[in-house]
Amino acid sequence: MKKLGTAVAAAAAVVVTVAGCSSSDSGGDASGDGAIKVAVITSGPVNDLGWNQGMVEGAQKLDDEGLIDLTVVQQDSGATSDQIAQIATDLAEDGNRLIVGHSFNYGEPIKNILADYPDVLFAYAGGFGDITENMADYSQPFYEASFLTGILAGSLTETGILAGTAGFEIPVCKAQIESFADGAKLTYKGPGEITLKPAYIGGWSDAAAQTLEAVNALVDQGADQFTSCGVDAATVEGAEQRGVDVVGYAMDQTPLAPDNVVSSIVWNLDVVINPAFADKISPEAMALFEEYREKIMSGEYVVEYKGGD
């Protein structure tokens, strides 16, 4: 794997499609061993034990299997549109056949160069269904796994108040937070009903201070169970500081706060539940978790998508 400066499970289907082209079709766009050149632009550190690391490790597996020749460009989520457009342009000029901008705000700068590189495929993490001849907007069905983590949270909450933090109110994040509350309704025994308090921060990994502030405010309002979309590291940190429970995001984030991370939403859909919570989660909730997990995977149960149009 090559790195420029200091990004794929979600885009794997696109990568495999590109890799299916013969070397005679790809010309100078393939490496010497015939692997298709693919680049990932991250929106934060590649070792964040979350969103970016999960993407890079997924892409690295494809690189290890010889399906792609991977380049990773590490950027911060605060990178400007001009910076992203220039990076994507340089990668296209370098012969990459697929360029993945791993953040929803990378979409607009990528769109600005699409016409210049009609033979290059681009993808970004939007969730808007924004698809053209050579661009894919990849969504992440985190809301399905979030529903399952909500089942656990409903059995653990003492206040009935659940919270969700996210960088922006984009469809994938909104759906994840709403599903968290829907799952909790199956196991919460009262008093009252489940109350959901979402907080949209206005930034991603570059908004840690604002995220911590939001977590503190939500705990002060009674929230004792958290999920997070894209502002996970700071949310886990805040949950640990205030002694409340939290769901990990994109990877198993138990190591970040072993006494607070109940479970994690993992891209490869493995079941990740912190063993430290084995005696805290009721047998009834655990059984319901397994029941709905099997139903979701088989298609018998469809989690309602509440991300908007």
Side-chain angles (χ1 to χ4, degrees):
M1 178 181 71
K2 297 180 293 185
K3 294 184 180 179
L4 299 182
T6 35
V8 233
V14 182
V15 173
V16 172
T17 300
V18 177
C21 300
S22 68
S23 58
S24 61
D25 292 331
S26 58
D29 298 333
S31 63
D33 59 4
I36 301 301
K37 296 182 68 172
V38 174
V40 176
I41 310 169
T42 72
S43 55
V46 298
N47 61 347
D48 60 2
L49 199 67
W51 172 258
N52 292 290
Q53 185 173 335
M55 169 63 82
V56 172
E57 288 188 0
Q60 184 61 58
K61 289 179 182 179
L62 297 176
D63 185 270
D64 293 342
E65 294 171 7
L67 293 173
I68 66 174
D69 177 15
L70 177 64
T71 294
V72 175
V73 181
Q74 178 171 292
Q75 286 293 297
D76 186 82
S77 58
T80 68
S81 292
D82 288 344
Q83 288 173 322
I84 297 304
Q86 186 59 59
I87 291 168
T89 297
D90 292 343
L91 290 168
E93 291 290 340
D94 194 40
N96 287 281
R97 290 287 307 281
L98 171 64
I99 299 170
V100 180
H102 194 44
S103 182
F104 99 101
N105 52 303
Y106 291 176
E108 289 305 316
I110 286 175
K111 291 176 193 176
N112 291 335
I113 68 168
L114 286 178
D116 297 330
Y117 301 97
D119 296 327
V120 177
L121 298 181
F122 297 86
Y124 81 105
F128 301 105
D130 199 6
I131 300 171
T132 69
E133 287 293 325
N134 62 327
M135 184 177 73
D137 165 7
Y138 62 90
S139 183
Q140 311 88 42
F142 290 149
Y143 71 99
E144 294 181 333
S146 187
F147 178 84
L148 296 177
T149 65
I151 291 176
L152 304 181
S155 73
L156 293 170
T157 180
E158 296 179 358
T159 65
I161 301 175
L162 275 59
T165 56
F168 295 89
E169 192 175 356
I170 59 175
V172 291
C173 289
K174 185 175 187 296
Q176 178 187 326
I177 292 172
E178 292 287 341
S179 292
F180 184 58
D182 286 346
K185 293 173 184 177
L186 297 180
T187 52
Y188 181 57
K189 303 302 183 182
E193 299 179 349
I194 286 292
T195 298
L196 176 64
K197 293 182 176 292
Y200 297 101
I201 309 302
W204 301 107
S205 59
D206 58 333
Q210 297 94 316
T211 302
L212 284 171
E213 182 179 346
V215 171
N216 280 317
L218 290 164
V219 174
D220 289 343
Q221 296 170 41
D224 64 354
Q225 303 291 321
F226 280 76
T227 191
S228 178
C229 180
V231 288
D232 41 295
T235 300
V236 172
E237 180 183 350
E240 183 179 38
Q241 291 176 357
R242 295 299 301 270
V244 296
D245 295 338
V246 63
V247 176
Y249 176 72
M251 294 186 71
D252 180 6
Q253 295 189 320
T254 303
L256 296 179
D259 295 329
N260 304 88
V261 177
V262 178
S263 59
S264 292
I265 296 169
V266 180
W267 277 42
N268 61 12
L269 301 185
D270 284 350
V271 178
V272 179
I273 298 175
N274 184 354
F277 281 81
D279 295 331
K280 300 179 182 180
I281 298 171
S282 70
E284 294 79 12
M286 197 66 245
L288 203 62
F289 176 97
E290 294 292 352
E291 176 187 341
Y292 274 89
R293 177 176 178 270
E294 293 300 321
K295 287 181 177 179
I296 291 169
M297 292 178 68
S298 68
E300 181 181 350
Y301 182 83
V302 177
V303 178
E304 183 179 357
Y305 178 78
K306 295 183 176 180
D309 297 330

